[in-house]
Every structure is written in C-alpha cells, then in structure tokens.
Amino acid sequence: MKYIKIKFAIALLTVFTIVSCSDDILNTEASDSFTEDAIYSDVNQAKLVVVTAYNTTDSWSINRSQWWTQRIGIEGASWEAKFNFKDLDNPYKMRGGWSPSNAGLAFNNRWATSWDYVKLINEFLEKIEGSEAMEEAPEEVAQLKAEMTFLRAFTYFNLVKYYGGVPIIKKSFGLDDEFNLSRDSFEDCVDFIVNDLDEAAAILPMEASEFGRATKLAALAVKSRVLLYAASDLHDPSTVPNGPLYDYARSTKWQDAADAAKAVIDLVGDRDLIPVANATEYQNLFLHQNQDILFARSYGSLYAEMANDINTLPDQAQSPNGYTGWGLSSPSHNFALEFNMKDGTRTNNEEFDPLSINEGREMRYYANLLFQGAYFRGRNVDYALADNPSDTTPDGLDSPKGLGNQLHSSKTGYNIRKFQDESLSTLTTFSVDRPYIMYRLAEIYLNYAEAMFYINENIARDYVNKVSNRALQPNIDASGADLLEAIKRERRVELCFEGHNFFDERRWMNQDHIGGYDIRGLKWTKAVDGTLNYEEYTVVNRPWFDYRYYLPIPQTEIDKDASLEQNYGY
C-alpha cells in the first residue's frame, strides 16, 4: 500500500478552514501561511490540529466532498430503514452488492479518509514532543496528547468495524515515503485500540472543559463497545469468515467486555438513567445535553464541520414530504414491529391486532417513529392515497401525491421522529445545543447486560431491565436464549437510528436482519367515507452475499501493494 501522501500544509489549511469561526474552544487567529514550526511553538495553534482530528468521530460524512453521505445515515444500510429517494438503495449498493471498485457512495472513501486522520494524529503526537508549546503549557499539551491518542483509537475502531484487521501504524512518514504494509491481526488491532484508550483515560478529565471534547468516561465507553464487539460471534474462530484478520480467541473475552462496561458504571457512581414519564420526555433526552450522555459532538461552530445535514438539520432531513421534509430514511415495517406493545408483549403475539397497528404500542414507538395518524407539528401525518380523491377525501399531504417533493414520500409508511426538535419554528431552524450523541449510559447498561448474559444471567437481567423499565416497559423475566433475544431487542429499540444496528446484526451474525430479506412497508388508502386501510408489501429486496460482513478494501490500494490482503469473498 502506498500510504497517504498529503502535505502537512494541506492538513493545516483544513484545520484553519474548520475552526475559523470557532470562539469557544479557541480564541486565536489562524492563517494558512503559518509554518509547521509555528504550529508547534504555540499551544493555541496546536489545538487547531486537535480540532481537525475530531472530524474522525462518528460524523457519518468524515469526507465532506461526499454529497450524499452528508444527508443520509447508516440506518439506511441496516435493517432499520431504507434510503428514501425514488426506489434507490444505491448509496449503499444494498441490492447489487459491494465490490472493491465500488462500495457505494456512502462507503467508498472511508478507507482513505480514515488513514488521513491516522497520519495527522501520528504527526501531531511526534511533533508536539519537545516542542515550544509543550514547554509553554505542559499540562495542557498532555491533555491534547491524550485527546489525540483517544482519537487514534476511535479511528482505528471505525476501521476494524468495517474492514477487520488493518495495518497498525504508530508513526508518521515523510511526504515522499513509499512503503509496504501488511494487515495486522484483528486481535492485535483490538489490543492496540484498548491500549490507546487506557493510556488516554489515565490522563483525560472526568468532565470536558468544552462540550464535545473527550473525557475519561468517553474513553472507557469506547473501550466497552470495542471489547463487546470483539467478543461477538462474528469474531469467533468457529465462524466464517475466520483467520487472523477476523478472529478474537481470548478465553476471557466476555469477562473482559463485562469488566469494561462495569468500569464505566462504577465511574459514573450514583448517576443513573434519567427517568421519563412519557414519549415527549423521552424525545427530549436526544435534544439537549444531559447526564445520560457520555460522549457527543456539538452542533455549533465549535466543531463546524463535524456535523452534517442529517445532524444539523435532522428535522428537514427526516420529516415527511408534506412538511417540506426530505424524509431520507424510511424505517422498515419489519423494524417497526420490533417495538413492543405497552404491556410488554411482542407484536408477533396472537393478541396483536394488525387493524389497530399504531394503538397500544410501547412509549418508544411514539417517540421514535412517525406513522399514519401520528400528531406532528400541528397536524396528523397522512400517507394515505384516496380511492376516489375529492375535496372531502383528498390524497394525504404526505402521500406520493401529496405536498413537497413527492419523490421523498415515505416508501414504507414511516418516518423518523427521533432527534427532531418540534419546538423549532421551522424545519431549517438551526439547533445549536442539540447534541450528536455517540455514547450514552443506556448503551453501557446494554453492553453490560449482553456480556453478563454469558457469565451471570441474574445480573444481565437486572441491567437490561434498567433500560426497559426507564422506557416504561414491564420487567423482563426471561432466561436462556429468550433472555439473550430480549437483550438484543432492547438494544435494537433503545439505540435505534443511532448507528448501532448495522454493526450489531453483523456481529451477532443474524442473517434474518443483515440480508436475504425484504424491506417491508405499508401502503395506506382511504375510502370515500374516510375509512383507512393498509396493505403490507415488499418495498425492495435486500439480497445477502457471504462477503458482506466487511467492506472491501479499495482495489486501488490492493493494486499499489500486493501484500495488502483483500477481505474475504472479494
């Protein structure tokens, strides 16, 4: 592989562009005429490099030149939803499969862009040592180094989630260096990530000086997810694909994952999940900074390019077309059925009445989804086409013949409500304090419950019920395989549309939910007298290909270096 050849000045130009309007974390004037020496002679200038590296956190579009990926989330590549423009699944190549030359718009540049950040971080960690900035403010520089170490671990975790084992690079290289690198084992990558996180956690503060910066809790939360993923079926040597690039064979893997989650729980102490009384209070957990959040990114000018349209304007990006929204992710009917009834029974229970599909559901159904008849922004959502349109029985405002851009009408009969701030006057009003949440306490409880299932079911049950009970669901009393499935269902519903499901179903190797299934939707119609009916139908088929547990390494990288092994099946 011929590694990234970008001039440091280009990286700095990016830094200055990104933070030029920042007046919170930094209060310094930057110019792209600064030399590299100047950057490391002034701690305020060194901070700018760190701010750039924060772009590697979970912004769906870590490469802002990718237009589509600034406007869609990974839920559209998971069981949760379908990308909603005409009838396309193409941004993710979901129907046609992935190839080394084309993984779809949403995935194509993730390999190269991630290595850009690894290079930037490694250069910073090398050049800040012994610099004037370090002599000027040693404690502040120590924290910046810890943040960069955290961000390197974060970037590597993103790489191994998509690709399995990757080259471990701990130093920077010159502008014209050419070298060959083979991929390290998945297990070695996990060790490298965990070591970086432990090193960062030892220095990072408990509370961030500015919202969005890494903390001790953030580092330990990432470690919890890393070790949970590593312990999962996908990385068991008995499953396929297998071999050093994919396997994690530690005999203590579930205990390690449990210990990592418990470390976060112990560190937060008496701080627990914020109780809620109804769907509106639950919705508000995602609209403002609060104690449930362990690591999130700011939407404001603090990190101007860390957010994208789906984050800065989730209301427009996800609202139905009748509200002039784009409705870009249509939740699947398959996924909507994962939401329980209010009394905790499943929708596959014989008592479930499909004619009253939106009645009596659990609180999170109403907080997270828009559906036929949901009251939203001053009126009821209406996806229904009239059998005989008239002034008294018109087509629904949110139907394929409704208002706005009809190409963006929901293909499934659902839209995403989660993350939307209905108190804003318009869909395009900027929400400065709305966080983009990456890690929160409910996930850590679910991580702990899943890991403890393999060690102590009683403790697992206690922690999954902390999440379920907060959502006003009754206690889960299951055991054995039923308990594990209840933990998975709780994870799907509690963490929906937050970027988890794409990875969760893969690490569980749940082929019912990662491919080979139909994305189902509801077509609503209304009779002359206003009576509503729906038909369940297949929106699109998602075929399954055995190689799709991982993304392909771009063919251009393989062509540069024959020692760089391609992923299984490509």
Side-chain angles (χ1 to χ4, degrees), residues 363-374:
M363 176 264 289
R364 289 172 296 193
Y365 184 81
Y366 303 105
N368 294 328
L369 298 176
L370 291 173
F371 48 84
Q372 177 65 32

Side-chain angles (χ1 to χ4, degrees), residues 95-361:
R95 279 183 283 176
W98 300 324
S99 73
S101 60
N102 187 3
L105 282 175
F107 294 124
N108 270 340
N109 292 328
R110 297 201 73 82
W111 174 272
T113 307
S114 295
W115 292 118
D116 286 346
Y117 287 112
V118 170
K119 178 176 175 64
L120 180 65
I121 292 166
N122 284 341
E123 285 185 336
F124 177 91
L125 292 173
E126 287 181 1
K127 296 179 186 299
I128 199 70
E129 287 294 332
S131 66
E132 292 181 37
M134 176 172 275
E135 294 177 4
E136 170 193 341
E139 291 184 4
E140 192 168 5
V141 168
Q143 180 173 331
L144 294 177
K145 287 172 59 182
E147 289 181 67
M148 286 298 239
T149 302
F150 166 83
L151 292 169
R152 182 170 66 182
F154 203 113
T155 306
Y156 261 90
F157 183 37
N158 279 337
L159 281 164
V160 300
K161 284 189 301 185
Y162 286 112
Y163 299 102
V166 297
I168 296 175
I169 302 172
K170 301 179 182 179
K171 66 176 185 176
S172 64
F173 292 85
L175 297 179
D176 297 313
D177 284 345
E178 293 188 27
F179 52 92
N180 296 325
L181 285 176
S182 58
R183 297 170 66 180
D184 287 280
S185 72
F186 178 80
E187 195 163 304
D188 285 347
C189 288
V190 170
D191 289 344
F192 174 62
I193 293 166
V194 168
N195 288 339
D196 265 3
L197 292 170
D198 284 341
E199 182 181 324
I203 298 172
L204 290 170
M206 275 291 291
E207 301 291 337
S209 56
E210 294 95 7
F211 184 78
R213 293 181 70 175
T215 63
K216 186 184 300 291
L217 279 171
L220 295 180
V222 177
K223 179 180 175 180
S224 171
R225 193 186 299 178
V226 168
L227 290 175
L228 181 74
Y229 280 24
S232 302
D233 287 349
L234 180 60
H235 302 295
D236 192 283
S238 67
T239 62
V240 177
N242 55 28
L245 295 179
Y246 314 109
D247 294 348
Y248 193 79
R250 299 285 169 82
S251 60
T252 59
K253 62 183 183 180
W254 288 114
Q255 187 65 60
D256 293 343
D259 290 347
K262 189 62 162 57
V264 179
I265 294 167
D266 290 344
L267 196 58
V268 300
D270 295 334
R271 174 172 151 190
D272 205 348
L273 298 180
I274 299 171
V276 296
N278 51 48
T280 299
E281 290 185 7
Y282 182 83
Q283 279 180 269
N284 286 337
L285 295 177
F286 302 92
L287 301 181
H288 307 285
Q289 300 173 24
N290 59 67
Q291 70 179 31
D292 275 8
I293 298 172
L294 301 178
F295 185 50
R297 187 175 57 252
S298 167
Y299 276 76
S301 60
L302 177 60
Y303 300 131
E305 298 231 332
M306 286 187 182
N308 53 43
D309 285 353
I310 203 167
N311 301 324
T312 55
L313 301 175
D315 308 271
Q316 183 177 45
Q318 298 294 10
S319 289
N321 58 296
Y323 297 82
T324 70
W326 301 337
L328 287 175
S329 294
S330 289
S332 70
H333 180 56
N334 326 43
F335 186 74
L337 291 174
E338 282 290 292
F339 291 82
N340 278 347
M341 304 305 293
K342 185 177 181 179
D343 63 4
T345 57
R346 300 298 308 276
T347 56
N348 59 5
N349 188 292
E350 62 184 14
E351 297 179 5
F352 175 63
D353 180 7
L355 297 178
S356 303
I357 194 168
N358 297 318
E359 298 177 14
R361 303 294 289 274

Side-chain angles (χ1 to χ4, degrees), residues 58-77:
D58 276 349
S59 171
W60 178 235
S61 175
I62 59 174
N63 183 343
R64 75 186 296 264
S65 66
Q66 295 175 245
W67 186 87
W68 275 115
T69 60
Q70 294 180 53
R71 290 165 167 78
I72 50 181
I74 200 171
E75 68 273 356

Side-chain angles (χ1 to χ4, degrees), residues 467-484:
V467 180
S468 183
N469 293 164
R470 195 270 290 272
L472 310 183
Q473 284 277 280
N475 272 340
I476 295 168
D477 297 320
S479 60
D482 290 340
L483 174 58
L484 181 59

